[in-house]
Amino acid sequence: MEQPLLEIKDLRVTFHTDDGTVHAVNGVSYKLEKGEVLGIVGESGCGKSVHALSIMRLISIPPGRIDSGEVLFYGKDLLKLEFEELRQVRGGQIAMVFQDPMTSLNPAYTVGFQIMEALTVHKKLDQNQARDRSAELLSLVGIPDARRRLDDYPHQFSGGMRQRAMIAMALSCEPSLLIADEPTTALDVTIQAQIVDLVKRLQRDYGMAVMWITHDLGVVAELAHKINVMYAGYIIERGHVKDIFKRTRHPYTLGLLGSLPRLDEAPGTKLVSIPGLPPDLVALPKGCPFVARCTYVTDSCLESMPPLENVGDRDHLVACWNWAAIAEGAA
Amino acid sequence: MPTLTPASIMIERKMTKTTQSDIATIDYAVREHRSLWVDAWRRLVSSRTAQAGLFIVSFLILTTVLAHFFWEYNPKTDLDYTLKLKPPTLIPNEEVPSVHIFGTDKLGRDIFRRVVHGGWNTLMVGIIAVTISLVIGGLLGLLAGFFESIEMTRLEKILLLVFLGGLMGFLPAWIAEQPVQIVLFALLGGAAAMFENFLAGRSARVVLFAAVGLLIGGGLALFVSPYTAIVTGLLGGLIGAALSLQLGGSLFSNITMRAMDIVLAFPSYLLAIAIVAFLGTGLEKGMVAIGIVSIPVFARLVRSSVLSVVQKEYILAAQSVGEGHGRIIFRHIFPNVLSPITVQTTLGIGSAILAAAALGFLGLGAVPPEPEWGAMLGDSYKYLSSGAWWAVVFPGVAIMLIVLGFNLLGDGLRDALDPKMKV
Amino acid sequence: MARYVIRRLIATIPTILGVTIVVFMFLRLIPGDPAIAMLGEHATEENVSRVREQFGLNRPTFLDREALKQGDFKGFINTQYFIYLGRLLRGDLGDSIHRRIPVAATLMQRFPATMELAFFSMFVAIIIGVPVGIISAARRNSILDSTTMVGSLIGVSMPIFWLGVMLIMLFAVILQWLPAGGRLSSSVEFTPTTNFYLIDSLLTFNIPAFVDSFQHIILPAIALATIPMAVTARMTRSSMLDVMQEDYVRTARAKGVTERLVLYRHALKNAFLPIITIIGLQFGLLLAGAVLTETIFSWPGIGKWVYDSILARDYPIVQGGTLLIALIFVLINLLVDVSYAYLDPRIHYD
């Protein structure tokens, strides 16, 4: 089998605070193929952003700490790379777009300068080439009058335009993996759709892999090939989009789907919400972290965390003791 | 196949194994409840800097207070020329028959004793000066910040304009020697606020009020002298016109902060030095001068903290449920600006002590023979060339220690009270 | 930009007027008759009336309402304050009581000495304070960081007059490496042109004079620079730490920018605003501190002159010196404000 683009093995990340050790990521493993779009879904605080930042070693240490695991990118472990080599990967082969475009651009420099910076760091272009390329990139992400707007400062851009500029910056070195960390959360709904479409188009044109982190299942449904559902620092279900939506096997995923409004339902149908709160990551329970909110609890759930097991014919993994019963109930 | 049971039944069934409280800990992030201040106190005492600061400050305060009440000292009678400028002596000998662990000064006084007793003056300076600047500056800053961003109620506006009218009316009243004008202008201000919708936004309003002002200013003054009437009439017209404008809270803030700017234009204790230089030497005068000079520091700090708190949504929420301004200020704003004030107060005591010591050093502070660290230094440094280092070193170390103590404490407080820095 | 600067200049006029009123009011603080206070109990009648004349002490303080009653509009404002203000506008700060020389001329003559010391100290404070702050922030919680932070806290808590005295004791009395005071040894031949000794001697290639005046400035500069250096280092550190938590710093790292550029390009430029504010403030404090430092080191600048005059009760000099320093401080604050416009593109000035 061909080497995957990215393979994460048993990644564990903790934060050491005054209130104790926060277990943010608790042994996450998965593969990401070239050109694949992977959606990572979960509530806030489920470790989805932290795990993505850890891939590029961008969490602040201290208080953060990557306790164990491997992040193999083209077979090289990013966690063990020399800093200089890692720097070449950052922005060059893996690029990132962040949640809040209002704060993610440096207010003291022009948008053009910030895009050109990535180009001069990785592509060794001279000023004029970098400027031409930046203008190209800006118009590619749909900013009109791009050449003139290079000299604008971020505060002169609207939120949606800033996120477009962030995407242009990320794409500047034609990365093979784009990590988008909730890139539409801070934007208006109409702008959200535009950004999703933009990334979809660019992903097709460039053939790059995309990791799209969100709490919104609706967004990844139209974008992703595969989905990882995360809860309390664990991947609790993973599979192809169809499997996740049609052959859901984890009660938490079921809950997420139930809380999604649908147009094809009869009017008056109530949305289902998941009762309770996510567990305290400082003091995780012994068993499954979802146990307090779950309607399918059995003895084993209180005893130990279920392993991820394959439940279908094509890479559909679930971490639940009762998946079979759920499958039966669904059928 | 495992049986499927709703969680509630499940829990009931498992009562034997898992108690109710176990379930509760699984369910919610239940932790010991701690108030913000208890939390801050814990962080404070667990920080190295704050520990050091607390130790130094409490040690010095304790010794000073104990010495003040239980170790009699009369600076006026304390002198012994036979013991002039003796180095530290731990074991009495023929030349120096008594113990002087810090040595003696130019009048043969025991420096240790004077350092310990001097602490009382130093503490008084710190506390009184900071109290002056804290109370006046804090109040001005609180009001300025609040009314700059929250619209005044009708009543508050009337009060403000009555006050302003009276204040401005003082000038024509003084010139014409007609105190009643103050009352009349105050009433005019009240009227301007009361009928704020009358001809609102039209120049006719300005003209009307200017005319009334002119009458108040000039009319009565006619009995004094026609020339006086011309001047006071013009002034009255101006005051009337000014009062007719829709003045609000930002005006109050503006006036206050411009006044603060004037004081701030003098580099801190230069102004204190100048004030005491003209007022005449004295520790009490120094305290007051230092206190006045630091008013703007507190006013600015409190104002900017209030401005940032006022923007928060919980203030909007409080307004939307109809809470009065007094309640909003004391229930919602005050507790939230308390931490920067606490920090600044601690640091302010340190800098007040430094400034007072500087005054003392220049001979503008405590009047000799009163023991005060800065003055002791200023007294003795001329004897350095004759080798009497002890007379200079010990008072200096004392100043540095107490200031360092307050600075460490202030730093620790900042870290403990600022939840932003918690991680 | 130019319009902003002009508007800002106009906005300082009320402040400056306020400053003149405060300085003027100093005289009112004197208990009893100012003329007697200045000249002493045994002053001659002639001297007292001369001083009264100089300060217009026979006139009312601000406005003369009696003159107005008679229709004398000119007399109405021919009062102590307006006489004082009118003189100020002509650059006349009055005459020294005892030496009977114009205050303004002497202030101008002594001004370079104070400025030379102040600029030199500020320069030292900045070139040490800022890098130390940056390095401490970059290596947060390292031994280096905690050492410099404890050191700077001690620096902030240091009474500079005491530090000055200690420096003299150590370097001038015990080790005898450096002179204890003054600007120049009497043995050195040197005729300054602008009174900035370091610059003058360098421009005329008078190396012995340069070395000698350099040796003289070291100790007072250390004493004066200690507090601003410590404050600048602390401010730089905390400002850098604030900025380094910002999302755009993470963006820069994610872009693969070198850690050096992340620090100096992305973080520092944003961290600079509070640093500049604090540097401006420190410069003002430095000028106030000059009264102490110059006194201890017999530095013939404004500060020492003001101090000597306080003791001699020569109040016009104290007023003039205070006013001059306050005006410089206002000017520095103006410069700080204007420099914001260059550093922060978000601030619009029009």
Side-chain angles (χ1 to χ4, degrees):
Chain A
M1 207 178 119
E2 205 193 346
Q3 186 183 43
L5 176 68
L6 180 77
E7 180 171 6
I8 295 179
K9 288 183 183 168
D10 196 35
L11 182 68
R12 288 171 193 275
V13 184
T14 49
F15 287 88
H16 300 267
T17 68
D18 288 350
D19 293 324
T21 303
V22 178
H23 298 268
V25 179
N26 303 309
V28 161
S29 310
Y30 63 90
K31 287 176 191 167
L32 176 64
E33 304 297 335
K34 291 191 184 87
E36 180 182 303
V37 180
L38 172 68
I40 298 195
V41 184
E43 288 166 287
S44 35
C46 72
K48 54 191 195 301
S49 289
V50 170
H51 115 275
L53 288 172
S54 310
I55 293 175
M56 293 228 274
R57 279 159 52 185
L58 281 173
I59 58 167
S60 43
I61 299 171
R65 198 170 75 198
I66 298 175
D67 293 320
S68 71
E70 286 173 48
V71 175
L72 303 171
F73 181 70
Y74 286 116
K76 274 184 303 191
D77 187 357
L78 296 185
L79 301 182
K80 293 200 178 63
L81 227 47
E82 285 297 312
F83 190 77
E84 263 312 294
E85 282 180 88
L86 175 72
R87 202 169 61 71
Q88 294 304 324
V89 174
R90 286 179 177 179
Q93 289 161 292
I94 305 180
M96 248 184 125
V97 176
F98 297 101
Q99 178 172 355
D100 191 354
M102 296 299 177
T103 55
S104 293
L105 286 165
N106 193 329
Y109 294 96
T110 61
V111 173
F113 177 87
Q114 295 182 58
I115 300 177
M116 283 156 66
E117 192 180 31
L119 288 165
T120 44
V121 166
H122 294 294
K123 297 250 162 169
K124 312 281 177 256
L125 297 184
D126 67 35
Q127 282 294 307
N128 287 330
Q129 290 168 316
R131 205 181 152 76
D132 290 341
R133 179 81 184 116
S134 305
E136 242 174 75
L137 283 162
L138 266 194
S139 53
L140 188 72
V141 296
I143 289 181
D145 203 4
R147 184 159 286 275
R148 197 178 53 79
R149 304 227 60 168
L150 282 180
D151 296 323
D152 279 358
Y153 284 93
H155 70 271
Q156 291 162 300
F157 274 39
S158 69
M161 279 163 71
R162 281 188 222 185
Q163 200 58 297
R164 284 168 192 271
M166 280 294 292
I167 292 172
M169 198 191 299
L171 290 180
S172 59
C173 301
E174 290 154 31
S176 37
L177 170 61
L178 174 72
I179 301 177
D181 185 3
E182 305 210 39
T184 57
T185 309
L187 301 175
D188 286 344
V189 182
T190 45
I191 311 285
Q192 276 186 22
Q194 292 174 11
I195 297 288
V196 170
D197 285 343
L198 174 68
V199 172
K200 219 167 161 181
R201 196 186 82 218
L202 294 168
Q203 189 270 331
R204 252 199 330 265
D205 296 352
Y206 282 78
M208 63 187 171
V210 172
M211 182 187 293
W212 188 284
I213 297 164
T214 180
H215 57 256
D216 186 353
L217 264 176
V219 171
V220 285
E222 55 172 310
L223 195 70
H225 304 132
K226 282 189 185 168
I227 293 177
N228 288 353
V229 183
M230 289 187 69
Y231 187 80
Y234 296 96
I235 293 181
I236 49 96
E237 183 159 13
R238 164 183 166 83
H240 287 264
V241 175
K242 279 216 177 113
D243 288 340
I244 296 288
F245 278 81
K246 300 287 180 207
R247 280 178 285 279
T248 320
R249 291 299 174 258
H250 196 283
Y252 176 64
T253 320
L254 275 177
L256 279 185
L257 288 169
S259 57
L260 211 60
R262 295 167 64 117
L263 285 176
D264 54 4
E265 266 168 352
T269 312
K270 277 201 178 142
L271 285 179
V272 188
S273 67
I274 308 174
L277 293 168
D280 184 1
L281 293 174
V282 173
L284 276 175
K286 191 170 67 168
C288 171
F290 191 57
V291 72
R293 305 168 76 183
C294 187
T295 43
Y296 300 95
V297 183
T298 57
D299 283 0
S300 35
C301 300
L302 294 163
E303 293 303 325
S304 61
M305 174 70 197
L308 263 181
E309 3 176 14
N310 208 332
V311 300
D313 41 1
R314 46 163 199 181
D315 195 20
H316 185 185
L317 306 170
V318 172
C320 179
W321 294 118
N322 305 321
W323 65 267
I326 292 166
E328 216 163 79
Chain B
M1 195 203 81
T3 43
L4 284 178
T5 336
S8 52
I9 304 171
M10 197 58 223
I11 286 165
E12 237 169 81
R13 187 134 45 91
K14 292 189 60 63
M15 268 310 187
T16 45
K17 256 181 167 178
T18 324
T19 63
Q20 192 72 50
S21 65
D22 283 349
I23 298 295
T25 41
I26 296 169
D27 198 351
Y28 295 106
V30 178
R31 278 184 224 156
E32 184 194 346
H33 174 80
R34 286 182 253 162
S35 86
L36 181 70
W37 291 97
V38 173
D39 220 29
W41 173 253
R42 284 193 189 190
R43 278 199 296 270
L44 185 70
V45 291
S46 69
S47 120
R48 248 335 143 62
T49 33
Q51 279 172 2
L54 267 177
F55 176 76
I56 297 175
V57 169
S58 37
F59 175 77
L60 288 177
I61 289 180
L62 202 69
T63 47
T64 303
V65 171
L66 285 179
H68 185 79
F69 290 107
F70 300 107
W71 192 18
E72 225 170 288
Y73 178 64
N74 184 354
K76 293 200 176 80
T77 55
D78 180 20
L79 92 173
D80 184 349
Y81 286 113
T82 57
L83 289 173
K84 216 166 79 176
L85 290 174
K86 296 290 179 224
T89 316
L90 297 179
I91 303 153
N93 50 36
E94 275 169 35
E95 197 192 351
V96 188
S98 43
V99 177
H100 300 287
I101 58 171
F102 287 178
T104 61
D105 69 2
K106 61 174 181 183
L107 296 179
R109 299 176 291 198
D110 181 43
I111 291 176
F112 176 71
R113 196 167 176 145
R114 282 177 65 80
V115 166
V116 173
H117 281 278
W120 181 259
N121 284 329
T122 303
L123 280 179
M124 282 301 121
V125 170
I127 291 165
I128 292 174
V130 168
T131 308
I132 292 173
S133 38
L134 173 67
V135 171
I136 301 178
L139 205 63
L140 287 176
L142 194 66
L143 293 175
F146 185 74
F147 288 120
E148 193 170 327
S149 33
I150 285 188
E151 212 186 321
M152 290 181 139
T153 61
R154 174 63 67 89
L155 183 68
E156 285 160 353
K157 232 177 197 169
I158 292 173
L159 282 176
L160 174 71
L161 281 191
V162 165
F163 175 71
L164 276 180
L167 196 69
M168 292 196 280
F170 189 79
L171 185 61
W174 181 82
I175 293 175
E177 293 172 86
Q178 300 279 354
V180 68
Q181 283 188 356
I182 297 177
V183 180
L184 290 176
F185 278 110
L187 286 177
L188 185 65
M194 203 123 48
F195 306 110
E196 59 177 346
N197 296 323
F198 179 64
L199 291 174
R202 261 179 278 177
S203 41
R205 180 183 162 86
V206 181
V207 173
L208 179 71
F209 275 93
V212 178
L214 191 112
L215 277 178
I216 299 175
L220 284 167
L222 274 175
F223 297 106
V224 182
S225 132
Y227 308 106
T228 308
I230 293 172
V231 172
T232 51
L234 281 176
L235 277 173
L238 279 177
I239 295 171
L243 288 174
S244 76
L245 304 171
Q246 308 284 326
L247 303 170
S250 63
L251 178 82
F252 173 78
S253 168
N254 246 318
I255 296 174
T256 316
M257 296 329 280
R258 289 300 78 73
M260 296 295 111
D261 280 352
I262 292 171
V263 181
L264 276 176
F266 296 90
S268 84
Y269 55 89
L270 180 66
L271 186 56
I273 291 176
I275 291 175
V276 180
F278 285 89
L279 213 52
T281 305
L283 198 59
E284 308 76 36
K285 292 167 188 163
M287 291 180 199
V288 177
I290 293 167
I292 291 173
V293 166
S294 337
I295 288 175
V297 178
F298 283 87
R300 277 197 161 185
L301 176 85
V302 175
R303 173 176 163 271
S304 65
S305 318
V306 169
L307 282 181
S308 69
V309 169
V310 158
Q311 285 177 355
K312 297 274 158 58
E313 264 137 30
Y314 54 79
I315 300 297
L316 209 61
Q319 278 181 287
S320 67
V321 296
E323 286 188 19
H325 282 176
R327 199 180 154 80
I328 292 181
I329 289 185
F330 287 104
R331 277 314 259 290
H332 299 286
I333 295 182
F334 190 64
N336 284 297
V337 299
L338 212 54
S339 52
I341 295 178
T342 314
V343 173
Q344 183 56 45
T345 305
T346 317
L347 297 175
I349 294 177
S351 50
I353 290 174
L354 264 189
L359 285 178
F361 179 79
L362 292 175
L364 296 171
V367 185
E370 190 69 18
E372 194 272 328
W373 297 340
M376 288 169 71
L377 248 167
D379 260 3
S380 316
Y381 89 99
K382 296 171 201 86
Y383 301 96
L384 255 189
S385 47
S386 53
W389 54 268
W390 55 89
V392 176
V393 168
F394 293 113
V397 169
I399 299 172
M400 204 193 73
L401 261 186
I402 188 126
V403 178
L404 183 67
F406 279 108
N407 281 342
L408 283 167
L409 191 59
D411 250 35
L413 275 171
R414 190 193 341 253
D415 293 343
L417 291 174
D418 193 352
K420 200 178 66 190
M421 300 291 288
K422 200 175 164 186
V423 175
Chain C
M1 192 71 203
R3 270 179 58 194
Y4 169 74
V5 174
I6 291 168
R7 261 218 345 236
R8 196 63 191 71
L9 265 173
I10 293 171
T12 55
I13 291 177
T15 314
I16 292 176
L17 268 180
V19 167
T20 61
I21 293 181
V22 171
V23 172
F24 165 74
M25 290 298 281
F26 283 167
L27 279 184
R28 301 272 105 205
L29 291 177
I30 301 171
D33 184 344
I36 305 284
M38 282 182 251
L39 297 165
E41 296 290 332
H42 311 293
T44 60
E45 197 59 40
E46 182 220 334
N47 268 342
V48 170
S49 62
R50 174 177 64 86
V51 169
R52 285 181 172 282
E53 187 57 34
Q54 179 184 338
F55 290 99
L57 288 181
N58 304 319
R59 304 285 309 151
T61 315
F62 283 106
L63 292 167
D64 186 352
R65 56 186 175 191
E66 295 306 320
L68 182 65
K69 264 188 216 167
Q70 313 306 318
D72 179 6
F73 287 103
K74 204 169 165 224
F76 178 53
I77 55 163
N78 186 24
T79 53
Q80 286 180 38
Y81 175 67
F82 288 100
I83 293 170
Y84 175 74
L85 196 63
R87 281 201 182 142
L88 275 190
L89 289 176
R90 291 193 299 271
D92 179 3
L93 294 173
D95 291 344
S96 153
I97 301 285
H98 300 299
R99 280 184 265 177
R100 306 195 191 183
I101 47 170
V103 172
T106 315
L107 271 183
M108 277 307 126
Q109 189 204 331
R110 283 176 162 253
F111 183 63
T114 298
M115 279 296 128
E116 185 171 73
L117 181 57
F119 277 125
F120 191 83
S121 310
M122 207 61 221
F123 176 73
V124 172
I126 293 171
I127 60 158
I128 297 177
V130 172
V132 163
I134 294 174
I135 295 168
S136 294
R139 302 195 191 156
R140 190 183 180 183
N141 296 333
S142 65
I143 294 177
L144 180 100
D145 180 29
S146 23
T147 318
T148 52
M149 282 309 107
V150 171
S152 66
L153 206 58
I154 294 175
V156 179
S157 315
M158 190 80 81
I160 55 169
F161 45 92
W162 184 66
L163 177 66
V165 170
M166 291 290 114
L167 286 173
I168 293 179
M169 184 167 86
L170 185 63
F171 291 102
V173 178
I174 299 177
L175 296 172
Q176 304 203 333
W177 287 352
L178 292 164
R183 288 185 85 186
L184 202 67
S185 307
S186 51
S187 57
V188 176
E189 293 219 6
F190 178 52
T191 22
T193 43
T194 62
N195 264 332
F196 284 97
Y197 283 13
L198 285 177
I199 299 172
D200 283 353
S201 58
L202 207 59
L203 289 180
T204 54
F205 299 107
N206 190 341
I207 301 304
F210 179 77
V211 172
D212 190 67
S213 52
F214 190 77
Q215 284 174 340
H216 277 84
I217 207 170
I218 290 177
L219 288 186
I222 292 176
L224 207 46
T226 301
I227 290 178
M229 190 194 301
V231 174
T232 309
R234 295 175 69 76
M235 192 68 207
T236 306
R237 176 179 180 270
S238 75
S239 183
M240 284 293 282
L241 283 179
D242 270 358
V243 169
M244 273 154 62
Q245 292 179 354
E246 293 284 344
D247 288 350
Y248 52 76
V249 170
R250 191 180 56 190
T251 307
R253 289 206 172 109
K255 238 193 287 186
V257 174
T258 58
E259 208 51 25
R260 226 186 130 74
L261 280 186
V262 168
L263 214 58
Y264 289 96
R265 186 189 270 167
H266 287 272
L268 188 58
K269 191 167 177 191
N270 285 287
F272 230 75
L273 287 182
I275 301 176
I276 286 198
T277 311
I278 212 82
I279 288 175
L281 271 176
Q282 289 305 309
F283 199 85
L285 289 180
L286 206 108
L287 290 174
V291 176
L292 294 162
T293 321
E294 290 181 3
T295 305
I296 296 162
F297 289 96
S298 318
W299 189 264
I302 298 174
K304 178 161 168 47
W305 202 38
V306 166
Y307 173 70
D308 293 343
S309 310
I310 289 174
L311 298 187
R313 297 180 166 262
D314 204 336
Y315 292 123
I317 298 173
V318 182
Q319 276 182 312
T322 315
L323 184 69
L324 182 66
I325 291 177
L327 290 184
I328 295 170
F329 196 35
V330 170
L331 190 75
I332 288 166
N333 286 333
L334 183 72
L335 285 177
V336 167
D337 276 7
V338 172
S339 67
Y340 270 33
Y342 283 105
L343 279 168
D344 191 344
R346 281 168 299 187
I347 304 178
H348 271 293
Y349 299 102
D350 40 36

